[in-house]
Amino acid sequence: MKEILTDAATRAICYLENLETRSVAPSGAAVAGLNVFDAPLPEAACSPAETLRLLDEAGSPATMAMAGSRFFGFVIGGSLPAALAANWLAGAWDQNSALYRATPGTAFIEQIALRWLLDVLRLPPDCGGAFVTGATVANFCALAAARHAVLKNTGWQVEADGLFGAPPITVIVGAEAHPSVIKSLGLLGLGRNRVVKIPVDAQGRMRADALPPISGPTIVCTQAGNVNTGAFDPIAEICRHAHAAGAWVHVDGAFGLWAAAAPTRAYLVEGVAFADSWATDAHKWLNVPYDCGLAFIRDAQALPAAMAITSEYLPTASEFRNPADFTPELSRRARGVEVWAALHSLGRAGLADLIERNCAHARRFAEKLSAAGGEILNEVVLNQVLVAFGDAEKTKRTIDALQADGTCWAGITVWQGRTAMRISISSWATTTTDVDRSIAAIVRAAAAA
Ligand SMILES: Cc1ncc(COP(=O)(O)O)c(C=O)c1O
């Protein structure tokens, strides 16, 4: 073990050090080189060192440099040093962190991480929580708890009796809800299409004045941080309207919820804590390795009511929290370890600094690209910048040229009819120098497009 793990660590360190100088996107030759993996299953065993060598030599160059400081696609955080190291250590522990009595160490660390998360995200301290694979599954878990609660209020046990014959649930979403919310509704039998869609404003915020009168079992899905603009729905106002009629309010805050940790951005989450459930990601703005999403539920019993199982062979009785009582999975990796390590190593001040820095970088991108002739399409309130360079075709050519150049990587979107480059800054590693190098590359790409 020692030799192969030392070899892996050496190779991983070398990979991370090279990110500074290599192209952010993998070269065509590196991607073509993946063909070496397209071989028959070996009949005989191979040495671990040889297996690792092949993986590193052919696999590493074909990766996108998402762990580096100039990847601005989607919403992608890097891995903080302590979080990556904790991930390696927890990998060595190899705990199936489902039940406290079987894995007390990782279950307990997860419980502490949950308490710290609720603190930094300014959510009610008694919430229940689930550590899952990402915000998609976190949305699914939170909406499963919502489905349980709104039907329980009518006397219907959805986990036992299913949805056939159940009182219908009205689901209200903003027209700009993330597709993962819509997918979760489909998975829960609530339907992707049978939602009531509320119009949004120019930033993608749900218009609270357009909410219909609410009655009967109802779930309202709101958003803290639109994936294109970073804008927040007026959640306090929506909560007032929905709660007056006994509805459940869910917040998809995959990255936006982290604004709570940054003093100058905290105004964005005002009223978010009035909701009933929240979904977010740790692999986005907390910068832990993939995969790690988080669901929080005000009524701590609603999530286990939807998720927990018992069996004679499973040691479920425990005075401490069983992680798997809150998640769709039974067997699961110990995600709480990296979350704990990230929060422990950053501290409250370090986390605030990470969020503030990324938001300042977003403003710098917007100011300098605007000065260079780009058109900024959103109000840059968080870490998302939408910029157009003339018409759709020219913007597309600019994005293609930028991705081929390799200095940085940003993707494409269409925002309310306008084709734009999406710049999303979420990595602890991004510096002002990275931002300026990237701005220069974007300006070059736009000039050549
Ligand atoms: C607002 C929002 N919700 C949900 C998701 C889905 O998150 P994940 O890919 O971690 O499942 C994203 C991803 O970017 C997002 O921005």
Side-chain angles (χ1 to χ4, degrees), residues 32-45:
L34 288 169
N35 281 334
V36 301
F37 292 109
D38 189 5
L41 171 70
E43 295 299 332

Side-chain angles (χ1 to χ4, degrees), residues 212-441:
I214 293 174
S215 64
T218 302
I219 301 169
V220 185
C221 301
T222 67
Q223 180 164 256
N226 176 284
V227 73
N228 281 309
T229 63
F232 286 58
D233 288 345
I235 294 170
E237 212 179 326
I238 294 168
C239 283
R240 271 193 295 278
H241 180 81
H243 286 162
W248 178 291
V249 179
H250 170 64
V251 180
D252 174 11
F255 61 96
L257 228 49
W258 296 92
T264 75
R265 302 294 103 193
Y267 75 94
L268 290 165
V269 299
E270 233 168 76
V272 164
F274 298 156
D276 301 284
S277 60
W278 303 262
T280 192
D281 267 317
H283 59 218
K284 288 190 169 68
W285 230 347
L286 186 59
N287 279 245
V288 305
Y290 284 94
D291 46 26
C292 190
L294 305 156
F296 308 110
I297 318 294
R298 178 188 295 281
D299 171 2
Q301 294 316 310
L303 196 48
M307 298 289 166
I309 52 172
T310 55
S311 174
E312 291 307 322
Y313 87 102
L314 295 171
T316 47
S318 161
E319 71 275 32
F320 290 102
R321 176 181 176 278
N322 285 317
D325 284 350
F326 299 83
T327 59
E329 310 89 2
L330 178 57
S331 293
R332 57 190 292 284
R333 74 179 192 91
R335 294 188 182 84
V337 175
E338 294 118 69
V339 171
W340 177 88
L343 291 171
H344 188 266
S345 76
L346 286 172
R348 200 184 296 279
L351 179 60
D353 178 59
L354 164 59
I355 308 297
E356 295 285 9
R357 259 188 301 125
N358 284 169
C359 293
H361 289 147
R363 291 195 295 276
R364 190 177 182 91
F365 265 113
E367 280 159 22
K368 294 207 162 188
L369 289 175
S370 169
E375 183 187 355
I376 307 301
L377 301 183
N378 64 319
E379 290 168 15
V380 181
V381 292
L382 206 62
N383 59 339
Q384 308 292 312
V385 182
L386 298 179
V387 54
F389 302 92
D391 63 16
E393 285 313 310
K394 169 141 189 198
T395 300
K396 274 187 206 159
R397 285 197 303 275
T398 303
I399 294 166
D400 287 347
L402 180 73
Q403 292 178 357
D405 168 80
T407 304
C408 67
W409 200 98
I412 191 167
T413 192
V414 177
W415 176 247
Q416 298 189 344
R418 295 289 308 277
T419 298
M421 177 186 287
R422 268 190 79 246
I423 303 170
S424 175
I425 306 101
S426 315
S427 172
W428 68 280
T430 303
T431 63
T432 306
T433 307
D434 286 315
V435 174
D436 288 346
R437 267 182 74 183
S438 302
I439 290 167

